[in-house]
Amino acid sequence: MKEELLELIKERGYRKGDFTLSSGKKSEHYVNCKPVTLSAQGINLVSTLLLECISSDVVAVGGLTLGADPLVTGVAMASDGCLWAPDLNGLIVRKEPKGYGTGAWIEGPLPLEGSKVTVLEDVITTGGSAIKAVKRLRDAGYVVNRVVSIIDRQEDGEADTAMKLAGLELISIFKLDELTDENE
């Protein structure tokens, strides 16, 4: 399953060239997981593998919109009937508060304050997006100790350092060098 997902990401989500990342950094590697996570085959594989990284005391998964949206939904669906993480709810963290109504930052079936939530991310570069989601969830009273990503871009350990400083464990299904075959 993991190998199948890796091949799918290489085929649909990876390109080599000259790119500017959302962090502003330049890179010769571009990874866009959306062509994978927005396909039936891809989201099924991703959701199963992400779910394996969720501990049994977690009641919800969340993440910053837009990259985490399919991940959160897919993992919540995959948890239906799961023995170690049954019936997880999904939470979407907005980049800006809702401009009307309640002005909510977080959408979804909100768990009780003090509940444990895991943040999901498609691609980690600096960790900034995931940490922004973690901050909003913690501000809402949830306990967040772990971020799970599909791919860690391995930017000089920047994400690992940022996660440690934020009191977070980072688990990634793949490292960038697995996509680029630079580890062979």
Side-chain angles (χ1 to χ4, degrees):
M1 183 179 300
K2 190 172 175 181
E3 280 303 311
E4 185 180 355
L5 178 59
L6 181 61
E7 290 308 310
L8 200 59
I9 294 170
K10 285 180 179 182
E11 176 187 312
R12 297 183 188 174
Y14 173 75
R15 291 189 355 216
K16 192 166 183 169
D18 183 23
F19 303 98
T20 302
L21 307 176
S22 63
S23 64
K25 293 181 174 229
K26 292 290 212 177
S27 178
E28 66 177 326
H29 305 286
Y30 180 69
V31 184
N32 178 7
C33 286
K34 288 166 199 69
V36 175
T37 61
L38 292 171
S39 73
Q41 178 189 16
I43 196 59
N44 281 322
L45 293 168
V46 165
S47 298
T48 300
L49 291 167
L50 289 174
L51 184 59
E52 291 174 1
C53 301
I54 308 297
S55 57
S56 61
D57 56 348
V58 169
V59 301
V61 291
L64 196 65
T65 196
L66 174 78
D69 293 1
L71 309 180
V72 166
T73 303
V75 170
M77 288 179 64
S79 76
D80 184 32
C82 175
L83 296 178
W84 73 92
D87 303 322
L88 292 172
N89 285 321
L91 303 172
I92 300 297
V93 179
R94 294 174 175 274
K95 292 181 181 175
E96 298 294 329
K98 192 173 183 177
Y100 53 91
T102 63
W105 280 95
I106 302 168
E107 296 292 346
L110 302 177
L112 296 174
E113 193 170 314
S115 295
K116 206 165 181 187
V117 176
T118 294
V119 166
L120 305 178
E121 182 70 275
D122 54 359
V123 181
I124 292 271
T125 302
T126 64
S129 293
I131 290 171
K132 186 183 284 188
V134 168
K135 181 180 178 347
R136 290 289 168 215
L137 291 162
R138 285 177 173 170
D139 288 349
Y142 305 121
V143 176
V144 185
N145 298 320
R146 181 181 289 171
V147 172
V148 181
S149 73
I150 300 171
I151 298 165
D152 180 350
R153 289 186 52 84
Q154 304 169 282
E155 294 288 322
D156 300 321
E158 196 171 336
D160 285 329
T161 300
M163 294 294 161
K164 285 179 185 152
L165 289 172
L168 295 162
E169 174 187 21
L170 173 61
I171 297 174
S172 299
I173 296 172
F174 301 110
K175 305 287 188 192
L176 181 65
D177 63 6
E178 293 176 82
L179 290 178
T180 63
D181 297 324
E182 291 178 10
N183 62 337
E184 296 176 354

